[in-house]
Amino acid sequence: MFKTMLASTEELRPLVEIVVDGRSVQAREGEMLAAALLNAGVVPFRHTAISGQPRAPLCLMGVCFDCLVEVDGVQNTQSCMIEVHAGMTVRLQDGARRVGDVK
Ligand code: FES
């Protein structure tokens, strides 16, 4: 579905390791997290709180909120609006936000 645009080697940012639900994934530093997760085959990103329906990024521009994940302990982070950094820890969300885990 998605294809990486070709870029010269000077334009490519370094590969870094991130952890997604305990699995090590390589991504380009500074690329949008949603793109990195899709590129790694991570789908769905979450399940809704009411019906449990699977969700994945739709707009990729911060409007739909279907790309929510937990990033470095912060729940409900829009993955299409945050850049990858080395050591980032991502948890896919299942249902409602955990009460008491406010960050
Ligand atoms: S994909 Fe729509 S808000 Fe992130």
Side-chain angles (χ1 to χ4, degrees):
M1 181 170 169
F2 292 95
K3 185 176 176 185
T4 302
M5 293 175 57
L6 297 177
S8 70
T9 52
E10 297 98 44
E11 293 176 315
L12 288 177
R13 296 178 181 179
L15 281 171
V16 296
E17 297 271 331
I18 64 173
V19 177
V20 181
D21 274 358
R23 179 171 69 110
S24 181
V25 170
Q26 285 198 325
R28 296 273 173 202
E29 182 144 38
E31 76 176 318
M32 302 318 290
L33 177 59
L37 295 177
L38 289 170
N39 196 36
V42 177
V43 174
F45 281 27
R46 68 183 181 97
H47 290 85
T48 61
I50 303 298
S51 65
Q53 291 294 306
R55 290 289 184 262
L58 178 64
C59 70
L60 293 171
M61 59 182 193
V63 176
C64 73
F65 288 75
D66 276 341
C67 64
L68 298 177
V69 294
E70 181 179 308
V71 178
D72 296 332
V74 180
Q75 300 176 62
N76 291 342
T77 300
Q78 289 174 282
S79 59
C80 69
M81 304 299 287
I82 187 167
E83 295 182 358
V84 167
H85 62 81
M88 177 179 257
T89 301
V90 178
R91 191 182 71 79
L92 304 181
Q93 298 187 164
D94 189 24
R97 180 178 176 163
R98 297 183 314 273
V99 176
D101 285 359
V102 178
K103 284 197 175 184

